[in-house]
Amino acid sequence: MKPVSANVVYLAEREPIPSLVQWVLPVVMALGVAVTNLVIVFSSYYLIEFSSGIVGSALSLACFSAAMIVVAASLVVFVSPVSAGGGLPEMKAYLNGTKIQGLFGPKDYVVRLIATIAMVASRTPVGREGPTICLGCMVGLGAVEVLFHPHVRSLIAFDLSGAAAPLALQLNEELWARVKRMGCAAGGAAGVAVMF
């Protein structure tokens, strides 16, 4: 135990991030983004095939497209308003250090995924490129959260001169913010690779 100051003692040294985690992280991100893209492509394809089977006229095609647009819009408006748009401006803002509350959460991932599928299936002239890159950023942040978070914390105790020492978990905020931005950039790059 090395004393940091007169009243703080580290109980566990912060170990460097294991090389296995550093090698596994890009693989997990790439697989996560690939699976996300496959879900979008196949779901959109099957919805378009389904609509082709039921469409007998231009009116029924317009009704199916309108239903898909309503599904996507309802999810964005009522469930996750931060998921509106492609997500690239928000991703760039995050990479520049701006904190947007609730932007890359699991709820936003699901809403953006379903809304992208519905919009592509509606046959409107919108692409899946921007949302897929933003979904890649979300996958990267999720992978970093699971794999790296235990390695940027350390347990410390406060020495209160004979009293029972309270324990605290210290997070290296600077390293954690940098690792999260790197995960977002790497996930976004995987999204670009999947799209193009």
Side-chain angles (χ1 to χ4, degrees), residues 34-103:
V35 167
T36 298
N37 189 49
L38 283 173
V39 167
I40 292 172
V41 169
F42 285 124
S43 299
S44 302
Y45 173 77
Y46 287 122
L47 280 172
I48 290 171
E49 286 295 314
F50 173 74
S51 71
S52 298
I54 64 168
V55 170
S57 66
L59 180 62
S60 59
L61 175 63
C63 289
F64 180 79
S65 295
M68 291 291 104
I69 292 169
V70 166
V71 166
S74 298
L75 281 172
V76 169
V77 169
F78 297 116
V79 179
S80 177
V82 76
S83 295
L88 293 180
E90 292 88 352
M91 187 177 134
K92 289 192 293 186
Y94 178 76
L95 291 174
N96 284 324
T98 305
K99 293 183 181 180
I100 302 171
Q101 188 65 28
L103 178 62

Side-chain angles (χ1 to χ4, degrees), residues 151-176:
H151 303 288
V152 293
R153 300 178 299 181
S154 59
L155 192 62
I156 59 173
F158 295 95
D159 185 11
L160 300 175
S161 303
L167 299 176
L169 196 57
Q170 180 185 30
L171 178 66
N172 186 343
E173 293 285 341
E174 185 177 321
L175 176 64
W176 181 233

Side-chain angles (χ1 to χ4, degrees), residues 96-141:
N96 284 324
T98 305
K99 293 183 181 180
I100 302 171
Q101 188 65 28
L103 178 62
F104 298 122
K107 177 179 73 170
D108 305 310
Y109 175 83
V110 171
V111 167
R112 193 174 297 271
L113 180 69
I114 294 172
T116 302
I117 292 168
M119 288 307 296
V120 171
S122 71
R123 299 178 183 171
T124 54
V126 295
R128 59 185 172 88
E129 293 83 4
T132 302
I133 295 169
C134 188
L135 287 167
C137 175
M138 292 179 188
V139 168
L141 283 171

